[in-house]
Amino acid sequence: MTNFISVQLKKASEVDLAKPLCKFIQQSYPGGDAQAEHCRAAEELSRLRKSALGRPLDKHESALETLLRYYDQLCSIEPKFPFSENQVCVTFTWKDAFDKGSLFGGSAKLALASLGYEKTCVLFNCGALASQIAAEQNLDNDEGLKAAAKHYQFASGAFQHIKDTVLSALNREPTVDISPDTVGTLSLIMLAQAQEVFFLKATRDKMKDGIIAKLANQAADYYGDAYKQCQYKDTLPKEVFPVLAAKHCIMQANAEYHQSILAKQQKKFGEEIGRLQHAADLVKTVASRYDEYINVKDLVDKINRALTAAKKDNDFIYHDRVPDLKDLESVGKASLVKSTPVVVPLSQKFTDLFEKMVPLQVQQSLSVYNQRKADQVNRLIAQMREATNLANGVLASLNLPAAIEDVSGDTVPQSILNKSKSVIEQGGIQTVDQLIKDLPELLQRNKEILDESLRLLDEEEATDNDLRTKFKERWQRTPSNELYKPLRAEGANYHNILSKAVQADGQVKERYQSHRDTIALLCKPESELNAAIPSANPAKTLQGNEVVNVLRTLLANLDEVKKEREQLENDLKSVNFDMTSKFLTALAQDGAINEEAISEAELDRIYGSYKEKVQESLKKQEELLKNIQNAHQDFSKMKQSNNESNLREEVLKNLAVANDNFVELVANLKEGTKFYNELTEILLKFQNKCSDIVFARKTERDELLKDLQQSIAREPSAPSIPLPTYQTTPAGGSKPAASSTPTPAPRTIVGTKPQPPARPPPPVISAASSSSSASAPSGTAAAPAAAPTPTPAPGATAPAGSTAPSQAQGPPYPTYPGYPGYCQMPMPMGYNPYMYGQYNLPYAPSPVYQNPGQAPYPAPQQPGYPFPQQPYYPQQ
């Protein structure tokens, strides 16, 4: 009687989790021990999936433990990896657990790039395997009963959890086995079976009959509800329905039986008989309808014995009135079971493989924080560099410090010599030429990578659109143009960046061309440089003048400010603070991260002092430049002015400006080269991302095409063809009315003999037979004239009144001319079992050997054959 329902496991296709996870880790985490550790964890996760899903599982606790550990790992990595079609794209394919498939189509399956789908299917297998383990328990001892009840309640909770979460996890219609209706019914079935186990334990422990009756009635209620949920739906295997109906009746019969014992104890003998009669009717229904599924012979015997004894005692002793079934009080109910809630971790041996990896939300917050930090540092550095360039421009316009050094008028000032030496040490004009020459190559490489990435998306999107046009509503997957919107936005952003970079390169080249000759002059030796600078004889010496000393002091202070800025810039770049702990704390406390508020507060705390130093430096420079300009005015008044000195001063100014431009050009070009190289790495990652999603979409497309082809193969290709009239006429029925369409003769079975029969004489057509043909039933035509009669072989004898068959028996389909399926090509005799004995005939009067359009030979009735020969219908 203990026939329990267990659920089949879903089958999963093989998936390599390690490769996409390792690729994401390498792209998102810096190299080192942490990255290598995360990659090893990804490989371990892939091995765990193969162990849990890639082999048949035993109905044992250890197999269930493996499944539970894998489910726990999936829950732990969900907030740490962005599983989606356009990020970490892993397509999980699962078959329907209850779909047996068809000859051509195979079983139904669904492939989705969704971790929620994988979790749902794994949890389904956890519940299914728990039901199988419970069904294997020995219910004759307490340990087996406890284990069965535990596993059934766990299975019920697993299926209930799927019912509550499957639609939100998949965002599309699931397969039938994990649909809310199906898993809801399975959850109720598991709960009913757990209640039945408690009933069996109460019976085994010989508890009070009133309690046992309530337990049984509650189990019957659960079984009845489960049957009502699925009786009109073709979602579960067909053998489940009779088992549920039988279990409902059996548990109700047990409830009535134990309630009858309680009535007997209370001396309610009529009620006892009424309940036993009801119980007997219930088990009789089970025995008559569901005997092939559940054997209730022992229960039937027990109830019948009790009913016979109760009737006998009541008839002879008590004479108590037996109430009607509707007058009996309903049996109470007592539920001792409930669905075990799914609380992660489910496994007692669970260890998070990615414990040191921060959640994805924290990663995203860190990324935004790092961008905010970089923006703030770049703003401060840009302010200081702009101020330095302004100071250099002011000094160059005043020809400082060359003006106060050029007191002799015929030598190169020391500041110009220092600038020339610095330019030569940095490679001079050759360095700038090489850097400018490299830029177009770097730019072209980045353009090619970006174009190739977008080409992959364009080709896949075009293929998807073509298939969507072809299959229309059957092509059920996310359209590529919607899926690729983030990638195309990212590609457009890279395209704009490259366009701006091209403009910046043009400005740098234009600036270089305007200062190229002066920079080349700085690269000359001192003698050539001195010859290129016009000489001028000063009217008086300014050496030791107070104004010159003031200017030198101010210039020295300005140089000190510049050095302080360089140190401040290095300090700003070196500041580092790990925000992981703060974001993790916020996530743990609030369940969410207010990144903007946390980041702004922390950046103000860290960089507040640096902002003040930058502002002090800017103010100090402003005062120094103002004093330098005032002192330079006094210096210019004291200095003798003439055309020669003005020309010399102009050349020295140009050399100073050329030095500043050289320094700035080299810095810009190196920064541009670095930018292009870094952009190449970013674009390669973008290309890999595009390649991965296109490959995943191609795999998904192939799977979907295969499923569509299988579903099309299962569909009927044409309407049903009506059968011939003779096949639709019932046996022994009236003969159908004559029709203009010929009715093919039934296939005649000729008994085989070990030796071929003697050659029969040729057919003889007599007047009697002609008259017989003339008197044939209406609707038949006269046979054509017989062929010439051949001479019988000597010694051949034949019984009187018998003739040879007119033609060999053909295949089971019609072969005479005029029928639509007629085929003129002859069949080799060696392949036709009905042509036995034809080798002895001098000729074979079979229609398959006649000329096209010629009618076959008629023949008289053969009395020796088991079936009468049918009249021949000639071609119309």
Side-chain angles (χ1 to χ4, degrees), residues 183-237:
V183 290
T185 303
L186 290 176
S187 176
L188 197 52
I189 292 173
M190 296 299 113
L191 206 62
Q193 295 185 154
Q195 181 76 12
E196 183 180 352
V197 170
F198 277 103
F199 158 76
L200 294 176
K201 187 176 189 319
T203 305
R204 174 183 172 82
D205 294 345
K206 297 181 180 180
M207 298 179 70
K208 295 181 179 180
D209 291 286
I211 296 175
I212 298 176
K214 291 179 180 179
L215 294 175
N217 197 35
Q218 181 65 68
D221 203 26
Y222 285 145
Y223 279 120
D225 291 343
Y227 182 78
K228 290 176 185 176
Q229 286 188 10
C230 65
Q231 64 176 340
Y232 299 117
K233 299 175 183 177
D234 188 18
T235 56
L236 296 177

Side-chain angles (χ1 to χ4, degrees), residues 58-69:
D58 298 330
K59 299 175 184 179
H60 193 268
E61 295 279 356
S62 59
L64 180 59
E65 181 66 26
T66 303
L67 269 177
L68 295 178
R69 283 197 296 118

Side-chain angles (χ1 to χ4, degrees), residues 453-566:
S453 303
L454 297 177
R455 184 191 66 80
L456 292 173
L457 299 181
D458 292 338
E459 289 184 356
E460 199 284 326
E461 183 174 336
T463 304
D464 182 71
N465 292 336
D466 292 342
L467 292 172
R468 191 174 303 280
T469 303
K470 179 179 179 180
F471 292 104
K472 295 182 173 55
E473 66 277 357
R474 289 191 176 189
W475 196 249
Q476 296 180 351
R477 72 168 184 168
T478 306
S480 295
N481 58 350
E482 294 182 7
L483 184 64
Y484 295 159
K485 282 181 179 178
L487 290 175
R488 292 200 179 278
E490 190 175 353
N493 182 42
Y494 293 140
H495 189 272
N496 293 335
I497 290 174
L498 287 176
S499 299
K500 292 180 180 179
V502 171
Q503 295 177 0
D505 293 345
Q507 293 173 359
V508 170
K509 291 177 183 178
E510 183 180 352
R511 186 176 178 185
Y512 172 61
Q513 291 299 328
S514 63
H515 295 89
R516 189 177 190 282
D517 295 338
T518 315
I519 295 173
L521 183 59
L522 277 176
C523 298
K524 301 290 185 179
E526 182 179 353
S527 58
E528 295 183 18
L529 181 61
N530 190 22
I533 300 175
S535 60
N537 296 322
K540 58 179 180 178
T541 180
L542 296 177
Q543 293 178 355
N545 190 283
E546 184 179 355
V547 175
V548 173
N549 293 334
V550 170
L551 278 174
R552 284 177 177 169
T553 303
L554 292 173
L555 291 175
N557 293 336
L558 186 59
D559 288 340
E560 187 67 26
V561 170
K562 292 179 182 178
K563 290 179 182 179
E564 290 177 358
R565 284 180 187 161
E566 292 178 359

